[in-house]
Short mmCIF file of all heavy atoms in Angstrom, two decimals:
data_model
loop_
_atom_site.label_atom_id
_atom_site.label_comp_id
_atom_site.label_asym_id
_atom_site.label_seq_id
_atom_site.Cartn_x
_atom_site.Cartn_y
_atom_site.Cartn_z
N MET S 9 -15.90 44.73 12.84
CA MET S 9 -16.58 44.27 14.03
C MET S 9 -15.69 43.33 14.84
O MET S 9 -15.85 43.23 16.03
CB MET S 9 -17.87 43.60 13.61
CG MET S 9 -18.92 43.73 14.65
SD MET S 9 -20.54 43.37 14.06
CE MET S 9 -21.34 44.61 15.01
N GLY S 10 -14.81 42.61 14.18
CA GLY S 10 -13.89 41.76 14.90
C GLY S 10 -14.44 40.45 15.40
O GLY S 10 -13.84 39.83 16.27
N LEU S 11 -15.59 40.03 14.90
CA LEU S 11 -16.17 38.76 15.33
C LEU S 11 -15.52 37.61 14.58
O LEU S 11 -15.26 37.69 13.39
CB LEU S 11 -17.67 38.73 15.06
CG LEU S 11 -18.56 39.57 15.95
CD1 LEU S 11 -19.99 39.52 15.46
CD2 LEU S 11 -18.49 39.08 17.38
N LYS S 12 -15.29 36.54 15.31
CA LYS S 12 -14.77 35.32 14.71
C LYS S 12 -15.91 34.30 14.66
O LYS S 12 -16.87 34.40 15.43
CB LYS S 12 -13.62 34.77 15.54
CG LYS S 12 -12.43 35.69 15.62
CD LYS S 12 -11.35 35.08 16.48
CE LYS S 12 -10.21 36.06 16.66
NZ LYS S 12 -9.21 35.54 17.58
N GLN S 13 -15.78 33.33 13.78
CA GLN S 13 -16.78 32.27 13.71
C GLN S 13 -16.96 31.61 15.06
O GLN S 13 -18.09 31.27 15.45
CB GLN S 13 -16.40 31.22 12.67
CG GLN S 13 -16.60 31.66 11.25
CD GLN S 13 -16.38 30.53 10.27
OE1 GLN S 13 -16.18 29.37 10.65
NE2 GLN S 13 -16.42 30.86 8.99
N GLU S 14 -15.90 31.44 15.77
CA GLU S 14 -15.96 30.81 17.09
C GLU S 14 -16.84 31.62 18.05
O GLU S 14 -17.61 31.05 18.82
CB GLU S 14 -14.55 30.66 17.66
CG GLU S 14 -14.50 29.94 18.98
CD GLU S 14 -13.07 29.74 19.48
OE1 GLU S 14 -12.12 30.02 18.72
OE2 GLU S 14 -12.92 29.29 20.62
N ASP S 15 -16.73 32.95 18.00
CA ASP S 15 -17.54 33.81 18.87
C ASP S 15 -19.03 33.67 18.56
O ASP S 15 -19.86 33.55 19.46
CB ASP S 15 -17.13 35.28 18.71
CG ASP S 15 -15.67 35.52 19.04
OD1 ASP S 15 -15.13 34.82 19.92
OD2 ASP S 15 -15.07 36.43 18.41
N VAL S 16 -19.36 33.72 17.27
CA VAL S 16 -20.75 33.62 16.86
C VAL S 16 -21.29 32.22 17.18
O VAL S 16 -22.41 32.07 17.67
CB VAL S 16 -20.91 33.95 15.36
CG1 VAL S 16 -22.35 33.79 14.92
CG2 VAL S 16 -20.42 35.37 15.08
N ALA S 17 -20.51 31.20 16.90
CA ALA S 17 -20.92 29.83 17.18
C ALA S 17 -21.24 29.65 18.67
O ALA S 17 -22.23 29.00 19.03
CB ALA S 17 -19.84 28.85 16.75
N LYS S 18 -20.42 30.24 19.52
CA LYS S 18 -20.64 30.14 20.96
C LYS S 18 -21.99 30.76 21.34
O LYS S 18 -22.73 30.20 22.14
CB LYS S 18 -19.51 30.83 21.72
CG LYS S 18 -19.59 30.70 23.21
CD LYS S 18 -18.39 31.31 23.89
CE LYS S 18 -18.50 31.16 25.39
NZ LYS S 18 -17.36 31.78 26.08
N GLU S 19 -22.33 31.89 20.75
CA GLU S 19 -23.61 32.54 21.01
C GLU S 19 -24.79 31.68 20.54
O GLU S 19 -25.86 31.69 21.14
CB GLU S 19 -23.68 33.92 20.35
CG GLU S 19 -22.77 34.95 20.97
CD GLU S 19 -23.18 35.35 22.37
OE1 GLU S 19 -24.40 35.43 22.64
OE2 GLU S 19 -22.29 35.59 23.20
N LEU S 20 -24.57 30.94 19.45
CA LEU S 20 -25.61 30.08 18.90
C LEU S 20 -25.63 28.70 19.57
O LEU S 20 -26.46 27.86 19.25
CB LEU S 20 -25.42 29.91 17.39
CG LEU S 20 -25.60 31.16 16.54
CD1 LEU S 20 -25.20 30.89 15.11
CD2 LEU S 20 -27.03 31.67 16.62
N ASN S 21 -24.67 28.48 20.47
CA ASN S 21 -24.55 27.23 21.20
C ASN S 21 -24.27 26.04 20.26
O ASN S 21 -24.85 24.97 20.40
CB ASN S 21 -25.80 26.96 22.05
CG ASN S 21 -25.52 25.98 23.16
OD1 ASN S 21 -24.41 25.90 23.66
ND2 ASN S 21 -26.53 25.22 23.55
N ILE S 22 -23.39 26.30 19.28
CA ILE S 22 -22.94 25.26 18.37
C ILE S 22 -21.42 25.37 18.25
O ILE S 22 -20.82 26.33 18.74
CB ILE S 22 -23.59 25.38 16.96
CG1 ILE S 22 -23.27 26.73 16.32
CG2 ILE S 22 -25.09 25.14 17.04
CD1 ILE S 22 -23.77 26.87 14.89
N THR S 23 -20.81 24.40 17.60
CA THR S 23 -19.36 24.44 17.42
C THR S 23 -19.01 25.37 16.26
O THR S 23 -19.85 25.68 15.41
CB THR S 23 -18.79 23.05 17.10
OG1 THR S 23 -19.33 22.61 15.84
CG2 THR S 23 -19.12 22.05 18.20
N GLN S 24 -17.76 25.78 16.22
CA GLN S 24 -17.29 26.61 15.11
C GLN S 24 -17.41 25.85 13.80
O GLN S 24 -17.78 26.40 12.77
CB GLN S 24 -15.84 27.05 15.36
CG GLN S 24 -15.25 27.91 14.26
CD GLN S 24 -14.67 27.12 13.11
OE1 GLN S 24 -14.11 26.05 13.31
NE2 GLN S 24 -14.81 27.63 11.92
N GLU S 25 -17.15 24.55 13.85
CA GLU S 25 -17.25 23.73 12.64
C GLU S 25 -18.68 23.69 12.12
O GLU S 25 -18.93 23.78 10.91
CB GLU S 25 -16.74 22.32 12.92
CG GLU S 25 -15.25 22.24 13.19
CD GLU S 25 -14.85 22.58 14.62
OE1 GLU S 25 -15.74 22.79 15.48
OE2 GLU S 25 -13.64 22.65 14.88
N ALA S 26 -19.66 23.56 13.03
CA ALA S 26 -21.07 23.54 12.64
C ALA S 26 -21.47 24.88 12.04
O ALA S 26 -22.21 24.93 11.05
CB ALA S 26 -21.95 23.19 13.84
N PHE S 27 -20.98 25.97 12.62
CA PHE S 27 -21.29 27.30 12.09
C PHE S 27 -20.70 27.46 10.70
O PHE S 27 -21.36 27.96 9.79
CB PHE S 27 -20.78 28.38 13.04
CG PHE S 27 -21.13 29.77 12.58
CD1 PHE S 27 -22.44 30.21 12.61
CD2 PHE S 27 -20.15 30.63 12.14
CE1 PHE S 27 -22.77 31.50 12.17
CE2 PHE S 27 -20.46 31.90 11.72
CZ PHE S 27 -21.78 32.35 11.74
N SER S 28 -19.47 27.03 10.53
CA SER S 28 -18.81 27.10 9.24
C SER S 28 -19.59 26.32 8.19
O SER S 28 -19.78 26.78 7.06
CB SER S 28 -17.38 26.58 9.34
OG SER S 28 -16.74 26.64 8.09
N MET S 29 -20.09 25.15 8.56
CA MET S 29 -20.87 24.33 7.64
C MET S 29 -22.15 25.06 7.23
O MET S 29 -22.55 25.02 6.07
CB MET S 29 -21.23 22.98 8.27
CG MET S 29 -21.93 22.06 7.31
SD MET S 29 -22.61 20.52 7.98
CE MET S 29 -21.47 20.03 9.21
N ARG S 30 -22.77 25.74 8.17
CA ARG S 30 -24.01 26.45 7.87
C ARG S 30 -23.78 27.63 6.93
O ARG S 30 -24.68 28.03 6.21
CB ARG S 30 -24.67 26.94 9.16
CG ARG S 30 -25.23 25.82 9.99
CD ARG S 30 -25.87 26.34 11.23
NE ARG S 30 -26.31 25.24 12.07
CZ ARG S 30 -27.16 25.38 13.06
NH1 ARG S 30 -27.68 26.55 13.34
NH2 ARG S 30 -27.49 24.33 13.78
N LEU S 31 -22.58 28.18 6.94
CA LEU S 31 -22.27 29.29 6.05
C LEU S 31 -21.93 28.84 4.64
O LEU S 31 -21.90 29.65 3.72
CB LEU S 31 -21.09 30.11 6.61
CG LEU S 31 -21.37 30.85 7.91
CD1 LEU S 31 -20.10 31.55 8.37
CD2 LEU S 31 -22.50 31.84 7.75
N ASN S 32 -21.66 27.55 4.47
CA ASN S 32 -21.28 27.01 3.17
C ASN S 32 -22.48 26.26 2.57
O ASN S 32 -22.75 25.13 2.95
CB ASN S 32 -20.10 26.07 3.33
CG ASN S 32 -19.61 25.53 2.01
OD1 ASN S 32 -20.30 25.57 1.00
ND2 ASN S 32 -18.40 25.00 2.02
N PRO S 33 -23.19 26.88 1.63
CA PRO S 33 -24.39 26.24 1.09
C PRO S 33 -24.14 24.89 0.43
O PRO S 33 -24.97 24.00 0.53
CB PRO S 33 -24.91 27.25 0.07
CG PRO S 33 -23.97 28.37 0.03
CD PRO S 33 -22.90 28.14 1.05
N LYS S 34 -23.01 24.69 -0.21
CA LYS S 34 -22.73 23.42 -0.86
C LYS S 34 -22.60 22.30 0.17
O LYS S 34 -23.08 21.20 -0.04
CB LYS S 34 -21.46 23.51 -1.71
CG LYS S 34 -21.66 24.34 -2.93
CD LYS S 34 -20.45 24.32 -3.82
CE LYS S 34 -20.72 25.18 -5.04
NZ LYS S 34 -19.66 25.13 -6.00
N THR S 35 -21.97 22.58 1.28
CA THR S 35 -21.84 21.59 2.35
C THR S 35 -23.18 21.36 3.00
O THR S 35 -23.55 20.23 3.30
CB THR S 35 -20.83 22.07 3.41
OG1 THR S 35 -19.58 22.32 2.78
CG2 THR S 35 -20.64 21.05 4.50
N TYR S 36 -23.93 22.43 3.21
CA TYR S 36 -25.19 22.32 3.94
C TYR S 36 -26.26 21.60 3.13
O TYR S 36 -27.17 21.01 3.69
CB TYR S 36 -25.68 23.70 4.37
CG TYR S 36 -26.67 23.60 5.49
CD1 TYR S 36 -26.25 23.33 6.78
CD2 TYR S 36 -28.03 23.69 5.26
CE1 TYR S 36 -27.15 23.19 7.81
CE2 TYR S 36 -28.95 23.56 6.28
CZ TYR S 36 -28.49 23.31 7.55
OH TYR S 36 -29.39 23.16 8.57
N GLU S 37 -26.18 21.63 1.80
CA GLU S 37 -27.18 20.97 0.96
C GLU S 37 -27.29 19.49 1.28
O GLU S 37 -28.33 18.88 1.07
CB GLU S 37 -26.84 21.14 -0.52
CG GLU S 37 -27.07 22.55 -1.02
CD GLU S 37 -26.53 22.76 -2.42
OE1 GLU S 37 -25.97 21.82 -3.01
OE2 GLU S 37 -26.66 23.89 -2.92
N LYS S 38 -26.25 18.90 1.83
CA LYS S 38 -26.25 17.48 2.15
C LYS S 38 -27.14 17.17 3.35
O LYS S 38 -27.55 16.04 3.53
CB LYS S 38 -24.82 17.01 2.43
CG LYS S 38 -23.91 17.13 1.24
CD LYS S 38 -22.49 16.77 1.61
CE LYS S 38 -21.55 17.03 0.45
NZ LYS S 38 -20.16 16.83 0.82
N ASN S 39 -27.42 18.17 4.17
CA ASN S 39 -28.25 17.97 5.36
C ASN S 39 -29.73 18.02 5.01
O ASN S 39 -30.12 18.47 3.94
CB ASN S 39 -27.91 19.01 6.43
CG ASN S 39 -26.50 18.81 6.96
OD1 ASN S 39 -26.02 17.71 7.02
ND2 ASN S 39 -25.85 19.89 7.32
N LYS S 40 -30.56 17.62 5.92
CA LYS S 40 -31.99 17.51 5.65
C LYS S 40 -32.76 18.79 5.92
O LYS S 40 -33.85 18.96 5.42
CB LYS S 40 -32.57 16.35 6.45
CG LYS S 40 -32.00 15.02 6.03
CD LYS S 40 -32.56 13.88 6.82
CE LYS S 40 -31.90 12.60 6.35
NZ LYS S 40 -32.28 11.45 7.09
N ARG S 41 -32.23 19.66 6.75
CA ARG S 41 -32.93 20.90 7.06
C ARG S 41 -32.92 21.84 5.87
O ARG S 41 -31.91 21.98 5.19
CB ARG S 41 -32.27 21.59 8.24
CG ARG S 41 -33.22 21.75 9.40
CD ARG S 41 -32.55 22.10 10.66
NE ARG S 41 -32.31 23.52 10.75
CZ ARG S 41 -31.55 24.05 11.67
NH1 ARG S 41 -30.97 23.30 12.56
NH2 ARG S 41 -31.37 25.34 11.72
N ALA S 42 -34.04 22.50 5.61
CA ALA S 42 -34.14 23.38 4.45
C ALA S 42 -33.33 24.66 4.63
O ALA S 42 -32.76 25.17 3.68
CB ALA S 42 -35.61 23.73 4.19
N ASP S 43 -33.28 25.18 5.83
CA ASP S 43 -32.57 26.43 6.10
C ASP S 43 -31.47 26.20 7.12
O ASP S 43 -31.68 25.48 8.10
CB ASP S 43 -33.53 27.49 6.63
CG ASP S 43 -34.61 27.85 5.64
OD1 ASP S 43 -34.28 28.01 4.46
OD2 ASP S 43 -35.78 27.98 6.05
N PRO S 44 -30.33 26.82 6.93
CA PRO S 44 -29.23 26.59 7.87
C PRO S 44 -29.46 27.21 9.26
O PRO S 44 -28.90 26.75 10.23
CB PRO S 44 -28.03 27.23 7.19
CG PRO S 44 -28.57 28.15 6.17
CD PRO S 44 -29.93 27.64 5.80
N PHE S 45 -30.31 28.24 9.34
CA PHE S 45 -30.54 28.91 10.61
C PHE S 45 -32.03 28.94 10.94
O PHE S 45 -32.85 29.25 10.09
CB PHE S 45 -29.99 30.33 10.58
CG PHE S 45 -28.50 30.39 10.37
CD1 PHE S 45 -27.98 30.68 9.13
CD2 PHE S 45 -27.63 30.12 11.41
CE1 PHE S 45 -26.61 30.72 8.93
CE2 PHE S 45 -26.27 30.15 11.22
CZ PHE S 45 -25.75 30.45 9.97
N LYS S 46 -32.35 28.62 12.20
CA LYS S 46 -33.72 28.72 12.68
C LYS S 46 -34.02 30.20 12.96
O LYS S 46 -33.12 31.04 13.04
CB LYS S 46 -33.90 27.91 13.97
CG LYS S 46 -33.64 26.43 13.80
CD LYS S 46 -33.81 25.69 15.11
CE LYS S 46 -32.62 26.03 15.97
NZ LYS S 46 -32.53 25.29 17.21
N PHE S 47 -35.30 30.51 13.14
CA PHE S 47 -35.70 31.89 13.41
C PHE S 47 -34.99 32.43 14.65
O PHE S 47 -34.50 33.56 14.65
CB PHE S 47 -37.22 31.97 13.58
CG PHE S 47 -37.73 33.37 13.72
CD1 PHE S 47 -37.84 34.20 12.61
CD2 PHE S 47 -38.09 33.87 14.96
CE1 PHE S 47 -38.30 35.50 12.73
CE2 PHE S 47 -38.55 35.17 15.09
CZ PHE S 47 -38.66 35.98 13.97
N GLY S 48 -34.92 31.61 15.69
CA GLY S 48 -34.23 32.04 16.91
C GLY S 48 -32.77 32.34 16.67
O GLY S 48 -32.21 33.28 17.26
N ASP S 49 -32.13 31.55 15.80
CA ASP S 49 -30.73 31.81 15.45
C ASP S 49 -30.59 33.17 14.78
O ASP S 49 -29.64 33.92 15.05
CB ASP S 49 -30.20 30.74 14.48
CG ASP S 49 -30.16 29.35 15.07
OD1 ASP S 49 -30.10 29.22 16.30
OD2 ASP S 49 -30.19 28.39 14.26
N LEU S 50 -31.55 33.49 13.91
CA LEU S 50 -31.51 34.77 13.21
C LEU S 50 -31.65 35.94 14.18
O LEU S 50 -31.00 36.97 14.03
CB LEU S 50 -32.59 34.84 12.14
CG LEU S 50 -32.43 33.84 10.99
CD1 LEU S 50 -33.62 33.91 10.05
CD2 LEU S 50 -31.13 34.07 10.24
N LEU S 51 -32.49 35.76 15.20
CA LEU S 51 -32.63 36.81 16.22
C LEU S 51 -31.31 37.02 16.96
O LEU S 51 -30.91 38.16 17.22
CB LEU S 51 -33.74 36.45 17.20
CG LEU S 51 -35.16 36.43 16.64
CD1 LEU S 51 -36.13 35.94 17.71
CD2 LEU S 51 -35.56 37.80 16.13
N ILE S 52 -30.63 35.94 17.28
CA ILE S 52 -29.33 36.03 17.95
C ILE S 52 -28.32 36.72 17.04
O ILE S 52 -27.56 37.59 17.48
CB ILE S 52 -28.84 34.64 18.39
CG1 ILE S 52 -29.73 34.10 19.50
CG2 ILE S 52 -27.38 34.69 18.84
CD1 ILE S 52 -29.52 32.63 19.83
N LEU S 53 -28.31 36.34 15.77
CA LEU S 53 -27.38 36.96 14.82
C LEU S 53 -27.64 38.46 14.69
O LEU S 53 -26.70 39.26 14.63
CB LEU S 53 -27.48 36.29 13.45
CG LEU S 53 -26.95 34.86 13.39
CD1 LEU S 53 -27.30 34.22 12.05
CD2 LEU S 53 -25.45 34.82 13.63
N CYS S 54 -28.91 38.85 14.66
CA CYS S 54 -29.24 40.28 14.60
C CYS S 54 -28.71 41.01 15.82
O CYS S 54 -28.19 42.13 15.70
CB CYS S 54 -30.75 40.48 14.48
SG CYS S 54 -31.41 40.10 12.84
N LYS S 55 -28.83 40.39 16.97
CA LYS S 55 -28.33 41.00 18.21
C LYS S 55 -26.81 41.14 18.17
O LYS S 55 -26.26 42.20 18.46
CB LYS S 55 -28.75 40.16 19.42
CG LYS S 55 -28.27 40.70 20.73
CD LYS S 55 -28.67 39.79 21.87
CE LYS S 55 -28.01 40.25 23.15
NZ LYS S 55 -28.13 39.27 24.22
N ILE S 56 -26.13 40.07 17.77
CA ILE S 56 -24.67 40.07 17.72
C ILE S 56 -24.16 41.13 16.74
O ILE S 56 -23.18 41.83 17.01
CB ILE S 56 -24.13 38.69 17.30
CG1 ILE S 56 -24.42 37.65 18.37
CG2 ILE S 56 -22.64 38.73 17.00
CD1 ILE S 56 -24.16 36.22 17.90
N LEU S 57 -24.84 41.23 15.59
CA LEU S 57 -24.41 42.15 14.55
C LEU S 57 -24.96 43.56 14.74
O LEU S 57 -24.75 44.43 13.90
CB LEU S 57 -24.82 41.61 13.17
CG LEU S 57 -24.18 40.27 12.82
CD1 LEU S 57 -24.78 39.72 11.54
CD2 LEU S 57 -22.67 40.40 12.70
N GLU S 58 -25.67 43.75 15.86
CA GLU S 58 -26.22 45.05 16.23
C GLU S 58 -27.09 45.64 15.12
O GLU S 58 -26.98 46.81 14.76
CB GLU S 58 -25.10 46.01 16.62
CG GLU S 58 -24.29 45.53 17.81
CD GLU S 58 -23.09 46.39 18.14
OE1 GLU S 58 -22.83 47.39 17.42
OE2 GLU S 58 -22.41 46.09 19.12
N ALA S 59 -27.98 44.81 14.58
CA ALA S 59 -28.90 45.26 13.54
C ALA S 59 -29.90 46.25 14.13
O ALA S 59 -30.36 46.08 15.25
CB ALA S 59 -29.65 44.07 12.95
N THR S 60 -30.21 47.27 13.36
CA THR S 60 -31.21 48.25 13.80
C THR S 60 -32.59 47.59 13.72
O THR S 60 -32.76 46.59 13.02
CB THR S 60 -31.20 49.50 12.90
OG1 THR S 60 -31.62 49.11 11.58
CG2 THR S 60 -29.83 50.15 12.86
N PRO S 61 -33.57 48.14 14.42
CA PRO S 61 -34.92 47.57 14.32
C PRO S 61 -35.43 47.51 12.87
O PRO S 61 -36.09 46.55 12.49
CB PRO S 61 -35.78 48.52 15.17
CG PRO S 61 -34.81 49.08 16.16
CD PRO S 61 -33.50 49.20 15.42
N GLU S 62 -35.09 48.52 12.07
CA GLU S 62 -35.51 48.54 10.67
C GLU S 62 -34.85 47.42 9.88
O GLU S 62 -35.50 46.73 9.09
CB GLU S 62 -35.17 49.90 10.03
CG GLU S 62 -35.95 51.06 10.60
CD GLU S 62 -35.36 51.60 11.91
OE1 GLU S 62 -34.20 51.29 12.25
OE2 GLU S 62 -36.09 52.34 12.60
N GLU S 63 -33.54 47.21 10.08
CA GLU S 63 -32.82 46.13 9.40
C GLU S 63 -33.38 44.78 9.82
O GLU S 63 -33.60 43.90 8.98
CB GLU S 63 -31.33 46.19 9.72
CG GLU S 63 -30.61 47.38 9.13
CD GLU S 63 -29.21 47.54 9.67
OE1 GLU S 63 -28.95 47.24 10.85
OE2 GLU S 63 -28.34 48.00 8.90
N LYS S 64 -33.60 44.64 11.10
CA LYS S 64 -34.13 43.38 11.65
C LYS S 64 -35.49 43.06 11.04
O LYS S 64 -35.74 41.95 10.58
CB LYS S 64 -34.23 43.49 13.16
CG LYS S 64 -34.64 42.25 13.87
CD LYS S 64 -34.57 42.51 15.37
CE LYS S 64 -35.22 41.43 16.16
NZ LYS S 64 -35.22 41.72 17.60
N GLU S 65 -36.38 44.05 11.00
CA GLU S 65 -37.71 43.83 10.43
C GLU S 65 -37.61 43.47 8.95
O GLU S 65 -38.27 42.54 8.47
CB GLU S 65 -38.58 45.07 10.60
CG GLU S 65 -39.97 44.89 10.05
CD GLU S 65 -40.85 46.12 10.25
OE1 GLU S 65 -40.44 47.07 10.93
OE2 GLU S 65 -41.95 46.10 9.70
N ARG S 66 -36.77 44.17 8.22
CA ARG S 66 -36.62 43.91 6.79
C ARG S 66 -36.08 42.50 6.54
O ARG S 66 -36.58 41.76 5.69
CB ARG S 66 -35.70 44.94 6.15
CG ARG S 66 -35.56 44.81 4.64
CD ARG S 66 -34.76 45.94 4.03
NE ARG S 66 -33.54 46.26 4.72
CZ ARG S 66 -32.35 45.68 4.49
NH1 ARG S 66 -32.25 44.75 3.59
NH2 ARG S 66 -31.28 46.04 5.17
N LEU S 67 -35.07 42.12 7.29
CA LEU S 67 -34.45 40.80 7.09
C LEU S 67 -35.33 39.65 7.53
O LEU S 67 -35.32 38.58 6.92
CB LEU S 67 -33.11 40.75 7.83
CG LEU S 67 -32.00 41.63 7.29
CD1 LEU S 67 -30.84 41.67 8.26
CD2 LEU S 67 -31.57 41.16 5.92
N LEU S 68 -36.09 39.84 8.58
CA LEU S 68 -36.89 38.74 9.13
C LEU S 68 -38.27 38.62 8.49
O LEU S 68 -39.00 37.69 8.80
CB LEU S 68 -37.01 38.89 10.65
CG LEU S 68 -35.70 38.79 11.40
CD1 LEU S 68 -35.91 39.03 12.89
CD2 LEU S 68 -35.02 37.44 11.17
N THR S 69 -38.60 39.52 7.59
CA THR S 69 -39.90 39.43 6.93
C THR S 69 -39.76 39.19 5.43
O THR S 69 -40.69 39.44 4.67
CB THR S 69 -40.74 40.70 7.17
OG1 THR S 69 -40.01 41.84 6.72
CG2 THR S 69 -41.09 40.85 8.63
N LEU S 70 -38.63 38.68 5.01
CA LEU S 70 -38.43 38.39 3.59
C LEU S 70 -39.31 37.26 3.13
O LEU S 70 -39.64 36.36 3.80
CB LEU S 70 -36.96 38.01 3.33
CG LEU S 70 -35.96 39.14 3.50
CD1 LEU S 70 -34.53 38.60 3.33
CD2 LEU S 70 -36.20 40.22 2.46
#
């Protein structure tokens, strides 16, 4: 796909460093939020990764 962390971070309106931290569970455990990504972030990620409607439904209803 050729996406870089910087590209995805820009779509999420965060820095590349913040995105990298969210991908690292050990680093993220130090923060107070239970989940690294909000529901809206997940919708953006699905769009960026071109998830099919079936994949999107399956992933967002876990």
Side-chain angles (χ1 to χ4, degrees):
M9 210 164 217
L11 287 175
K12 297 179 185 175
Q13 285 188 6
E14 184 177 352
D15 301 328
V16 178
K18 184 176 180 181
E19 290 292 324
L20 294 172
N21 201 30
I22 59 175
T23 64
Q24 180 275 325
E25 293 82 5
F27 183 69
S28 180
M29 185 188 324
R30 290 180 185 196
L31 293 177
N32 183 342
K34 289 186 180 185
T35 302
Y36 200 76
E37 288 171 0
K38 297 175 186 174
N39 293 328
K40 296 180 181 175
R41 240 166 83 190
D43 297 317
F45 298 101
K46 298 179 287 187
F47 186 77
D49 296 336
L50 295 175
L51 293 175
I52 292 169
L53 291 171
C54 285
K55 179 182 172 192
I56 293 169
L57 298 173
E58 300 174 358
T60 65
E62 294 82 15
E63 291 170 326
K64 185 176 169 183
E65 181 179 353
R66 184 174 47 88
L67 291 169
L68 297 177
T69 57
L70 291 175

